[in-house]
Amino acid sequence: MNPDNTTAQGTPAEGELPASATRNACKLCSPLGAAMVFKGVRSCLPFLHGSQGCATYIRRYMISHFREPVDIASSSFSEEDAIFGGARNFEQGVENVISQYQPELIGVATTCLSETIGDNMLGMIKSYQDKHNSSGPPLVHVSTPAYTGTHSDGYYGAIDQLVRTFAKPMTAKIAGHVNILPAMMSCADLRHLRELCELYQLSPTILPDYSATLEGSSWGEYHRISPGGTSLEEIEEMGSATATIEIGHTRAYLKNTPADYLEKTSSVKRHALGWPLGIRHTDQFVTSLSQISGNRLPESLKDERGRLVDAYADAHKYVSGKTAAIFGEPDLVIAQAAFLSEIGIRPIICATGAKVKKWKQLLSSEIEGGVADVEALSGTDHAKISARIRELKPDLILGSSKGYPIARELSIPLLRIGFPIHDRFGGQRILQVGYRGTLAAFDRVVNALLENKQDTSETGYSYL
Ligand code: SF4
């Protein structure tokens, strides 16, 4: 089953959903999020325990977005394995992966099928390791039943498992060492987070870091596993950092997150922050960097901030009073809502396919002027989102390529953000963090509105 292509039974009225059905889900499959994290660990091969089609679907999505080779192994269930369990396939699959890829780590995620039949993954991994005297690469497992979660859950779940499995409890601290646990961001975002840390003379361990594995340079020779990523040694030593910055608005309210675990086991101070998009959230991010490093805001960032403030002032007349619909991963949607609200655009539809507790409450702390007029849709699908867009007719839509049909139908500009972007080039390079990323995002928003105004003008003009 491809979760973004499910079909409702019957013929409900336009925009109305039968309680039990989803039409064109606004989410992707959980193992996809886990695979993305595993791609951000050095010499790690993602391995899906289940059917081959799941790995193929995930590979296709990742390749079309990142435009890079993405190898994902599978235990390739047959009908027999679906009945009697996939232990035999798992063992054979792991042996094949080791002989063909020589990985330093194998990241195992479960598919709907293996979760449904209840395969005991931890038991299988232990029995494989006992049989081979733990001689091969380590295996880490994350449970990813896609029928109860989304790609965001798989993403955060894989980070959690990596930290809990490998980070050693440590008391000694290394000055200047900081951990960054990012939300599901672009390769350009991850690179800029590192750059920001380095401006404060901090040395970051970013988990995951797929900025090179999923957007590398051209190779002189073929690599079976793309170079780059966070090394296992770096994960083991996350306890030696002085602080962990955990990014994601929805994470900030949770206990028992990986940053919380590091704080409990190694006294690494947790800084739970929203996505550093917009002036307010970037200010909070650089304030944390300043507190951790003891260094003041570097001049170059002061200049970037100044240029951003100037741009807000210059273009306020183009954005003020406009409305937008946003859909995608929960943390991305909240980050965009906060940003749009900051620049004077009203985010009247904020939708996610994930079922997020207190979704409206989370949004209300980020949107100025309350959320009484905001459609806060959680656990929703594209049929419902499109119906609300048809009714409310926002000036702008922000989301993945999945928003194209409704944007085209209503001639509303679609600003492509998040994942997947497979009808445009460069989705992996969209920068949306820091003052620089905010300025780039601001330019995109302003220009999309100007372009639409120009395109739909009856008279036509070239000076705005
Ligand atoms: S894991 Fe589940 S949702 Fe994902 S592709 Fe496989 S069957 Fe579909």
Side-chain angles (χ1 to χ4, degrees):
M1 175 184 73
N2 175 339
D4 68 342
N5 199 23
T6 45
T7 312
Q9 301 295 313
T11 51
E14 193 59 59
E16 294 301 317
L17 285 177
S20 58
T22 293
R23 286 181 296 162
N24 201 2
C26 180
K27 61 179 183 176
L28 302 167
C29 119
S30 311
L32 185 149
M36 202 177 282
V37 171
F38 292 140
K39 286 296 293 178
V41 177
R42 192 183 72 190
S43 193
C44 175
L45 198 87
F47 185 109
L48 295 196
H49 185 55
S51 336
Q52 209 171 10
C54 303
T56 304
Y57 151 64
I58 291 172
R59 287 181 60 240
R60 185 178 78 78
Y61 262 52
M62 288 178 70
I63 291 168
S64 72
H65 179 89
F66 291 103
R67 319 268 172 176
E68 292 285 355
V70 177
D71 281 14
I72 296 176
S74 155
S75 48
S76 197
F77 270 38
S78 64
E79 287 85 349
E80 205 174 281
D81 303 307
I83 296 165
F84 299 111
R88 188 178 46 90
N89 281 33
F90 175 72
E91 198 172 316
Q92 182 66 55
V94 169
E95 277 174 14
N96 289 345
V97 160
I98 293 172
S99 71
Q100 289 188 34
Y101 291 89
Q102 291 95 44
E104 289 172 27
L105 175 69
I106 299 175
V108 183
T110 34
T111 66
C112 296
L113 181 52
S114 56
E115 285 284 347
T116 304
I117 64 172
D119 258 357
N120 176 2
M121 273 329 299
L122 290 179
M124 281 186 214
I125 290 175
K126 181 160 185 332
S127 121
Y128 176 84
Q129 287 171 330
D130 288 349
K131 200 165 161 186
H132 294 82
N133 297 321
S134 302
S135 57
L139 289 96
V140 63
H141 161 239
V142 56
S143 171
T144 45
Y147 43 81
T148 60
T150 70
H151 54 305
S152 288
D153 297 306
Y155 180 89
Y156 289 125
I159 297 175
D160 195 57
Q161 282 307 311
L162 284 165
V163 171
R164 285 172 203 275
T165 308
F166 298 113
K168 295 177 185 159
M170 290 181 167
T171 46
K173 301 291 159 214
I174 298 173
H177 181 195
V178 62
N179 301 317
I180 306 282
L181 303 178
M184 203 164 154
M185 293 172 162
S186 74
C187 297
D189 289 333
L190 297 180
R191 278 192 290 273
H192 194 47
L193 288 179
R194 182 176 296 281
E195 190 184 343
L196 289 172
C197 291
E198 288 172 353
L199 277 171
Y200 280 86
Q201 266 102 51
L202 290 168
S203 166
T205 294
I206 300 178
L207 182 68
D209 183 1
Y210 42 79
S211 62
T213 54
L214 290 176
E215 199 194 3
S217 52
S218 64
W219 300 339
E221 59 186 56
Y222 178 69
H223 299 273
R224 281 192 176 261
I225 298 181
S226 313
T230 313
S231 70
L232 212 42
E233 294 75 37
E234 286 175 285
I235 302 172
E236 285 170 355
E237 286 167 17
M238 288 176 92
S240 70
T242 50
T244 302
I245 298 182
E246 193 166 43
I247 300 175
H249 296 77
T250 59
R251 315 289 293 161
Y253 301 93
L254 298 179
K255 290 197 167 71
N256 250 336
T257 64
D260 195 41
Y261 172 83
L262 289 167
E263 190 165 65
K264 282 186 188 134
T265 55
S266 301
S267 305
V268 182
K269 189 169 168 41
R270 177 187 180 199
H271 292 240
L273 299 178
W275 187 309
L277 171 66
I279 292 177
R280 183 164 58 91
H281 282 294
T282 304
D283 283 351
Q284 286 170 3
F285 186 79
V286 296
T287 300
S288 277
L289 292 182
S290 192
Q291 287 166 355
I292 297 163
S293 67
N295 294 326
R296 295 162 69 92
L297 183 74
E299 282 303 313
S300 59
L301 285 187
K302 209 182 275 180
D303 290 346
E304 280 187 7
R305 190 183 191 283
R307 283 194 290 273
L308 178 58
V309 172
D310 187 52
Y312 276 15
D314 290 345
H316 77 277
K317 60 187 172 188
Y318 302 126
V319 292
S320 179
K322 299 289 184 195
T323 58
I326 316 163
F327 68 87
E329 297 98 48
D331 284 316
L332 177 72
V333 172
I334 299 177
Q336 295 292 333
F339 164 59
L340 293 181
S341 177
E342 182 176 279
I343 63 175
I345 294 182
R346 195 89 189 125
I348 52 172
I349 300 172
C350 297
T352 180
K355 289 180 181 149
V356 185
K357 279 187 196 152
K358 300 185 182 163
W359 179 234
K360 195 152 191 166
Q361 206 172 311
L362 284 170
L363 288 163
S364 72
S365 56
E366 299 296 338
I367 298 175
E368 278 179 42
V371 288
D373 60 335
V374 174
E375 285 272 348
L377 306 171
S378 143
T380 193
D381 60 20
H382 279 291
K384 183 85 178 279
I385 297 168
S386 297
R388 302 310 291 142
I389 290 176
R390 263 183 217 107
E391 200 173 322
L392 298 175
K393 295 195 176 45
D395 297 300
L396 197 59
I397 302 171
L398 292 97
S400 70
S401 297
K402 299 285 175 192
Y404 177 64
I406 187 68
R408 178 183 159 94
E409 179 190 322
L410 301 177
S411 298
I412 297 173
L414 169 66
L415 264 191
R416 288 161 179 82
I417 52 166
F419 182 94
I421 297 176
H422 43 209
D423 64 342
R424 286 291 182 277
F425 194 68
Q428 73 279 48
R429 284 184 286 279
I430 295 175
L431 183 65
Q432 308 191 84
V433 297
Y435 302 120
R436 197 186 304 166
T438 303
L439 185 53
F442 185 66
D443 286 347
R444 283 193 296 269
V445 167
V446 174
N447 286 328
L449 292 168
L450 291 182
E451 192 178 330
N452 187 252
K453 192 173 175 188
Q454 202 169 31
D455 288 351
T456 53
S457 156
E458 281 182 8
T459 52
Y461 49 87
S462 57
Y463 189 90
L464 293 162

